[in-house]
Amino acid sequence: MTDRISLEDHLAALEAPESLKAVLAAAARACVDIRGVVSDGALAGALGASGAVNVQDEEQKKLDVISNDILTDTLLVCPAVAAVASEEMETIQPADHAGDYLVLFDPLDGSSNIDINAPVGTIVSVLKAPTAAPNEADFLQPGRQQAAALYALYGAQTMLVLTTGSGVRGFTLSSDGRWLLTHDAITIDPDTKEFAINMSNQRHWSEGVQRYVDGVLKGVDGPRGKNFNMRWVAAMVADVHRILMRGGVFLYPWDRREPNKPGKLRLMYEGNPMAFLIEQAGGKATTDGTEAILDIQPEHLHQRIAVALGSANEIDAYASA
Ligand code: FDP
Protein backbone atom coordinates (compact mmCIF):
# COMPACT_ATOMS: atom_id res chain seq x y z
CA MET A 1 0.00 0.00 0.00
CA THR A 2 2.95 2.32 0.76
CA ASP A 3 4.06 2.77 -2.86
CA ARG A 4 0.66 4.00 -4.00
CA ILE A 5 0.27 7.64 -5.02
CA SER A 6 -1.44 9.66 -2.30
CA LEU A 7 -3.90 12.47 -2.98
CA GLU A 8 -1.23 14.91 -1.70
CA ASP A 9 1.30 13.53 -4.22
CA HIS A 10 -1.30 13.67 -6.98
CA LEU A 11 -2.19 17.29 -6.19
CA ALA A 12 1.49 18.26 -5.91
CA ALA A 13 2.13 16.91 -9.42
CA LEU A 14 -1.03 18.42 -10.90
CA GLU A 15 -0.70 21.34 -13.31
CA ALA A 16 -3.19 23.55 -11.52
CA PRO A 17 -3.11 26.69 -9.38
CA GLU A 18 -1.88 26.10 -5.82
CA SER A 19 -5.07 27.71 -4.53
CA LEU A 20 -7.21 25.10 -6.33
CA LYS A 21 -5.08 22.34 -4.83
CA ALA A 22 -5.67 23.86 -1.38
CA VAL A 23 -9.45 23.81 -1.94
CA LEU A 24 -9.39 20.16 -3.01
CA ALA A 25 -7.21 19.16 -0.07
CA ALA A 26 -9.60 20.94 2.32
CA ALA A 27 -12.65 19.25 0.77
CA ALA A 28 -10.93 15.86 1.02
CA ARG A 29 -10.15 16.47 4.72
CA ALA A 30 -13.77 17.38 5.37
CA CYS A 31 -14.88 14.12 3.72
CA VAL A 32 -12.62 12.13 6.07
CA ASP A 33 -14.29 13.86 9.02
CA ILE A 34 -17.79 13.25 7.61
CA ARG A 35 -16.86 9.60 7.07
CA GLY A 36 -15.99 9.39 10.79
CA VAL A 37 -19.41 10.63 11.90
CA VAL A 38 -21.25 8.53 9.28
CA SER A 39 -19.52 5.36 10.41
CA ASP A 40 -20.02 6.08 14.13
CA GLY A 41 -23.76 6.46 13.37
CA ALA A 42 -25.86 5.74 16.45
CA LEU A 43 -22.70 5.72 18.63
CA ALA A 44 -22.28 9.42 17.85
CA GLY A 45 -26.00 10.10 18.29
CA ALA A 46 -25.96 11.09 14.62
CA LEU A 47 -28.92 9.10 13.25
CA GLY A 48 -32.49 10.31 12.77
CA ALA A 49 -34.14 13.60 11.94
CA SER A 50 -32.77 16.97 13.01
CA GLY A 51 -36.28 18.31 13.53
CA ALA A 52 -35.78 21.02 10.88
CA VAL A 53 -36.54 21.30 7.17
CA ASN A 54 -34.08 22.72 4.65
CA VAL A 55 -34.57 25.42 2.01
CA GLN A 56 -35.91 22.72 -0.33
CA ASP A 57 -38.67 21.96 2.21
CA GLU A 58 -37.16 18.53 2.86
CA GLU A 59 -36.77 17.05 6.32
CA GLN A 60 -33.15 17.40 7.40
CA LYS A 61 -31.39 14.47 9.00
CA LYS A 62 -28.95 15.13 11.83
CA LEU A 63 -26.17 13.92 9.56
CA ASP A 64 -27.17 16.41 6.84
CA VAL A 65 -26.64 19.21 9.35
CA ILE A 66 -23.41 17.77 10.82
CA SER A 67 -21.92 17.16 7.35
CA ASN A 68 -22.90 20.63 6.22
CA ASP A 69 -21.20 22.16 9.27
CA ILE A 70 -18.02 20.12 8.74
CA LEU A 71 -17.72 21.20 5.10
CA THR A 72 -18.61 24.82 5.78
CA ASP A 73 -16.19 25.13 8.71
CA THR A 74 -13.34 23.38 6.90
CA LEU A 75 -13.73 25.26 3.62
CA LEU A 76 -14.32 28.75 5.00
CA VAL A 77 -11.00 28.73 6.85
CA CYS A 78 -9.18 27.71 3.65
CA PRO A 79 -7.58 30.96 2.33
CA ALA A 80 -8.41 29.95 -1.27
CA VAL A 81 -12.17 29.77 -0.66
CA ALA A 82 -14.13 33.01 -1.14
CA ALA A 83 -17.61 31.62 -0.39
CA VAL A 84 -19.61 28.41 -0.16
CA ALA A 85 -23.15 27.35 -1.07
CA SER A 86 -24.93 24.18 -0.05
CA GLU A 87 -28.09 22.24 -0.74
CA GLU A 88 -28.78 22.58 2.98
CA MET A 89 -28.38 26.39 3.24
CA GLU A 90 -30.74 29.05 1.99
CA THR A 91 -28.09 31.31 0.56
CA ILE A 92 -24.32 31.56 0.14
CA GLN A 93 -21.90 31.93 3.02
CA PRO A 94 -18.94 34.21 2.27
CA ALA A 95 -15.54 33.75 3.93
CA ASP A 96 -14.12 36.66 5.92
CA HIS A 97 -11.24 36.89 3.45
CA ALA A 98 -10.89 37.18 -0.33
CA GLY A 99 -10.32 33.89 -2.14
CA ASP A 100 -10.02 32.47 -5.65
CA TYR A 101 -12.80 29.87 -5.55
CA LEU A 102 -16.46 29.29 -4.84
CA VAL A 103 -17.40 25.84 -3.52
CA LEU A 104 -20.85 24.26 -3.77
CA PHE A 105 -21.81 20.99 -2.12
CA ASP A 106 -24.42 18.42 -1.31
CA PRO A 107 -22.99 17.52 2.10
CA LEU A 108 -24.76 14.16 2.44
CA ASP A 109 -26.32 12.84 -0.73
CA GLY A 110 -28.83 10.00 -0.46
CA SER A 111 -29.83 10.93 3.06
CA SER A 112 -32.80 8.53 3.04
CA ASN A 113 -30.11 5.81 3.22
CA ILE A 114 -28.59 7.09 6.47
CA ASP A 115 -30.78 5.29 8.97
CA ILE A 116 -30.63 1.94 7.12
CA ASN A 117 -26.80 1.88 6.92
CA ALA A 118 -26.78 1.98 3.12
CA PRO A 119 -24.31 4.04 1.04
CA VAL A 120 -24.33 7.82 1.18
CA GLY A 121 -21.88 10.39 -0.14
CA THR A 122 -20.71 13.99 -0.44
CA ILE A 123 -20.67 15.89 -3.75
CA VAL A 124 -18.51 18.99 -4.32
CA SER A 125 -18.29 21.46 -7.22
CA VAL A 126 -15.57 24.14 -7.48
CA LEU A 127 -15.94 27.33 -9.54
CA LYS A 128 -13.57 30.25 -10.01
CA ALA A 129 -14.66 33.32 -8.01
CA PRO A 130 -15.23 36.12 -10.54
CA THR A 131 -14.89 38.89 -7.93
CA ALA A 132 -13.12 39.44 -4.63
CA ALA A 133 -16.43 39.75 -2.74
CA PRO A 134 -18.73 37.25 -4.47
CA ASN A 135 -22.50 37.34 -4.22
CA GLU A 136 -25.11 34.71 -5.08
CA ALA A 137 -25.21 35.70 -8.78
CA ASP A 138 -21.48 34.92 -9.06
CA PHE A 139 -22.27 31.24 -8.37
CA LEU A 140 -24.61 31.03 -11.37
CA GLN A 141 -22.01 29.79 -13.85
CA PRO A 142 -22.63 26.94 -16.32
CA GLY A 143 -21.14 23.64 -15.14
CA ARG A 144 -18.71 23.71 -18.07
CA GLN A 145 -16.81 26.41 -16.13
CA GLN A 146 -16.16 24.17 -13.11
CA ALA A 147 -12.50 24.06 -12.07
CA ALA A 148 -12.99 20.71 -10.33
CA ALA A 149 -15.64 18.28 -9.15
CA LEU A 150 -15.44 15.41 -6.71
CA TYR A 151 -17.53 13.07 -4.65
CA ALA A 152 -16.81 10.92 -1.65
CA LEU A 153 -18.69 7.64 -1.36
CA TYR A 154 -19.13 6.25 2.14
CA GLY A 155 -19.73 2.64 1.17
CA ALA A 156 -18.03 -0.69 1.80
CA GLN A 157 -14.89 1.29 1.06
CA THR A 158 -14.63 5.05 1.34
CA MET A 159 -13.64 6.51 -2.00
CA LEU A 160 -12.98 9.96 -3.36
CA VAL A 161 -13.45 10.41 -7.12
CA LEU A 162 -12.03 13.58 -8.62
CA THR A 163 -11.71 15.50 -11.86
CA THR A 164 -9.93 18.77 -12.54
CA GLY A 165 -10.68 18.52 -16.26
CA SER A 166 -8.05 16.00 -17.27
CA GLY A 167 -9.68 12.64 -16.67
CA VAL A 168 -11.15 11.00 -13.60
CA ARG A 169 -9.24 9.38 -10.75
CA GLY A 170 -10.40 7.43 -7.72
CA PHE A 171 -8.69 7.36 -4.31
CA THR A 172 -9.50 4.90 -1.54
CA LEU A 173 -9.28 5.90 2.13
CA SER A 174 -6.72 3.68 3.87
CA SER A 175 -7.16 2.44 7.45
CA ASP A 176 -4.57 5.03 8.52
CA GLY A 177 -6.66 7.85 7.03
CA ARG A 178 -4.87 8.57 3.71
CA TRP A 179 -6.47 8.88 0.27
CA LEU A 180 -4.49 6.54 -2.01
CA LEU A 181 -4.86 6.31 -5.78
CA THR A 182 -6.57 3.03 -6.64
CA HIS A 183 -8.45 3.88 -9.85
CA ASP A 184 -6.48 5.74 -12.51
CA ALA A 185 -8.05 6.99 -15.75
CA ILE A 186 -11.62 5.88 -15.06
CA THR A 187 -13.63 5.49 -18.29
CA ILE A 188 -17.22 4.50 -19.02
CA ASP A 189 -17.96 1.88 -21.66
CA PRO A 190 -20.32 3.46 -24.26
CA ASP A 191 -22.55 0.36 -24.26
CA THR A 192 -24.35 -1.14 -21.29
CA LYS A 193 -27.03 -3.58 -20.21
CA GLU A 194 -27.78 -1.87 -16.90
CA PHE A 195 -30.14 0.98 -16.04
CA ALA A 196 -31.06 2.82 -12.84
CA ILE A 197 -34.39 4.54 -12.32
CA ASN A 198 -36.95 4.65 -9.53
CA MET A 199 -39.50 2.29 -11.13
CA SER A 200 -42.17 3.18 -8.58
CA ASN A 201 -42.61 6.48 -10.46
CA GLN A 202 -43.34 4.74 -13.77
CA ARG A 203 -46.95 5.88 -14.09
CA HIS A 204 -45.89 9.53 -13.68
CA TRP A 205 -43.27 9.64 -16.46
CA SER A 206 -43.64 11.23 -19.91
CA GLU A 207 -44.48 8.92 -22.83
CA GLY A 208 -40.90 8.98 -24.15
CA VAL A 209 -39.46 7.76 -20.85
CA GLN A 210 -42.21 5.11 -20.57
CA ARG A 211 -41.33 3.90 -24.09
CA TYR A 212 -37.60 3.71 -23.32
CA VAL A 213 -38.09 1.75 -20.09
CA ASP A 214 -40.70 -0.48 -21.75
CA GLY A 215 -38.22 -1.36 -24.49
CA VAL A 216 -35.49 -2.11 -21.98
CA LEU A 217 -37.78 -4.30 -19.85
CA LYS A 218 -38.79 -6.39 -22.89
CA GLY A 219 -35.15 -7.57 -23.10
CA VAL A 220 -34.14 -9.85 -26.00
CA ASP A 221 -37.75 -10.03 -27.17
CA GLY A 222 -38.12 -6.24 -27.47
CA PRO A 223 -36.80 -3.46 -29.70
CA ARG A 224 -33.40 -3.40 -27.95
CA GLY A 225 -32.72 -7.10 -28.60
CA LYS A 226 -30.83 -7.63 -25.33
CA ASN A 227 -31.60 -8.27 -21.68
CA PHE A 228 -31.05 -5.48 -19.15
CA ASN A 229 -30.39 -5.52 -15.42
CA MET A 230 -31.73 -2.83 -13.04
CA ARG A 231 -30.11 -1.26 -9.95
CA TRP A 232 -31.32 1.63 -7.74
CA VAL A 233 -29.28 2.47 -4.64
CA ALA A 234 -31.32 5.66 -4.04
CA ALA A 235 -28.12 7.66 -3.44
CA MET A 236 -26.96 9.40 -6.60
CA VAL A 237 -23.32 9.14 -5.52
CA ALA A 238 -23.52 5.34 -5.29
CA ASP A 239 -25.47 4.96 -8.55
CA VAL A 240 -23.03 7.25 -10.41
CA HIS A 241 -20.07 5.40 -8.88
CA ARG A 242 -21.41 2.10 -10.21
CA ILE A 243 -21.68 3.67 -13.68
CA LEU A 244 -18.08 4.92 -13.48
CA MET A 245 -16.97 1.42 -12.45
CA ARG A 246 -18.97 -0.74 -14.89
CA GLY A 247 -21.16 1.43 -17.11
CA GLY A 248 -24.92 1.91 -17.09
CA VAL A 249 -27.37 4.78 -17.12
CA PHE A 250 -28.87 6.79 -14.26
CA LEU A 251 -32.23 8.44 -14.95
CA TYR A 252 -34.21 10.86 -12.82
CA PRO A 253 -36.67 12.34 -15.32
CA TRP A 254 -39.33 15.01 -15.03
CA ASP A 255 -42.62 13.50 -13.92
CA ARG A 256 -46.26 14.51 -13.64
CA ARG A 257 -46.45 14.66 -9.84
CA GLU A 258 -45.04 18.19 -9.79
CA PRO A 259 -45.28 19.26 -13.44
CA ASN A 260 -43.81 22.70 -12.77
CA LYS A 261 -40.57 21.21 -11.45
CA PRO A 262 -38.11 20.15 -14.19
CA GLY A 263 -36.94 17.27 -11.97
CA LYS A 264 -35.96 16.24 -8.46
CA LEU A 265 -32.20 16.65 -8.51
CA ARG A 266 -30.30 19.88 -8.03
CA LEU A 267 -28.31 21.40 -10.92
CA MET A 268 -25.60 23.10 -8.85
CA TYR A 269 -24.96 20.47 -6.15
CA GLU A 270 -25.65 17.21 -8.02
CA GLY A 271 -26.14 17.71 -11.77
CA ASN A 272 -23.08 19.83 -12.58
CA PRO A 273 -20.40 18.05 -10.54
CA MET A 274 -21.62 14.59 -11.59
CA ALA A 275 -21.92 15.71 -15.25
CA PHE A 276 -18.31 16.97 -15.17
CA LEU A 277 -17.10 13.60 -13.83
CA ILE A 278 -19.24 11.59 -16.27
CA GLU A 279 -18.13 13.60 -19.33
CA GLN A 280 -14.50 13.43 -18.23
CA ALA A 281 -14.88 9.63 -18.11
CA GLY A 282 -16.26 9.58 -21.68
CA GLY A 283 -19.94 9.31 -20.80
CA LYS A 284 -22.85 11.66 -21.53
CA ALA A 285 -24.67 13.78 -18.95
CA THR A 286 -27.93 15.32 -20.11
CA THR A 287 -31.35 16.37 -18.91
CA ASP A 288 -33.29 14.49 -21.59
CA GLY A 289 -30.75 12.53 -23.62
CA THR A 290 -29.68 15.52 -25.73
CA GLU A 291 -29.33 18.72 -23.64
CA ALA A 292 -25.90 18.71 -21.95
CA ILE A 293 -26.22 19.51 -18.24
CA LEU A 294 -22.88 21.36 -18.32
CA ASP A 295 -24.23 23.88 -20.86
CA ILE A 296 -27.22 24.99 -18.78
CA GLN A 297 -27.07 28.62 -17.66
CA PRO A 298 -28.21 28.41 -14.02
CA GLU A 299 -31.00 30.78 -13.02
CA HIS A 300 -30.93 30.21 -9.29
CA LEU A 301 -28.85 28.43 -6.70
CA HIS A 302 -31.30 25.67 -5.82
CA GLN A 303 -32.51 25.03 -9.40
CA ARG A 304 -33.73 21.51 -10.16
CA ILE A 305 -33.25 19.55 -13.36
CA ALA A 306 -34.09 16.22 -14.96
CA VAL A 307 -31.06 13.92 -15.24
CA ALA A 308 -30.10 11.21 -17.76
CA LEU A 309 -26.41 10.29 -17.61
CA GLY A 310 -24.02 7.41 -18.18
CA SER A 311 -22.91 5.18 -21.07
CA ALA A 312 -22.92 7.33 -24.24
CA ASN A 313 -24.71 4.98 -26.63
CA GLU A 314 -27.40 4.16 -24.08
CA ILE A 315 -28.07 7.87 -23.47
CA ASP A 316 -28.52 8.18 -27.26
CA ALA A 317 -30.98 5.28 -27.16
CA TYR A 318 -32.86 7.06 -24.34
CA ALA A 319 -33.00 10.25 -26.44
CA SER A 320 -34.42 8.48 -29.47
CA ALA A 321 -36.99 6.27 -27.65
P1 FDP B 1 -32.12 11.75 -1.23
O1 FDP B 1 -33.45 12.34 -1.59
O2 FDP B 1 -32.22 10.55 -0.34
O3 FDP B 1 -31.12 12.75 -0.72
O4 FDP B 1 -30.40 13.93 -3.68
C1 FDP B 1 -31.58 13.34 -3.94
C2 FDP B 1 -31.55 11.82 -3.88
O5 FDP B 1 -31.47 11.23 -2.61
C3 FDP B 1 -30.46 11.17 -4.75
O6 FDP B 1 -29.25 10.98 -4.09
C4 FDP B 1 -31.09 9.86 -5.15
O7 FDP B 1 -30.59 9.36 -6.36
C5 FDP B 1 -32.55 10.22 -5.24
O8 FDP B 1 -32.76 11.42 -4.49
C6 FDP B 1 -33.44 9.16 -4.67
O9 FDP B 1 -34.73 9.45 -5.03
P2 FDP B 1 -35.98 8.50 -4.65
O10 FDP B 1 -36.30 8.83 -3.22
O11 FDP B 1 -37.03 8.89 -5.60
O12 FDP B 1 -35.53 7.09 -4.80
Side-chain angles (χ1 to χ4, degrees), residues 87 106 108-113 198 201 232 234-237 239 250 252 264-266 270:
E87 185 179 308
D106 178 355
L108 208 67
D109 175 67
S111 37
S112 58
N113 278 354
N198 184 341
N201 297 331
W232 186 249
M236 189 190 194
V237 169
D239 280 312
F250 171 90
Y252 214 116
K264 175 181 181 184
L265 302 178
R266 265 62 47 139
E270 293 163 322

Side-chain angles (χ1 to χ4, degrees), residues 284-313:
K284 285 193 176 176
T286 70
T287 55
D288 58 354
T290 55
E291 182 193 33
I293 290 174
L294 293 180
D295 291 331
I296 297 173
Q297 172 59 55
E299 284 164 14
H300 52 92
L301 213 47
H302 299 298
Q303 185 168 338
R304 293 176 189 258
I305 49 159
V307 172
L309 57 77
S311 293
N313 293 342

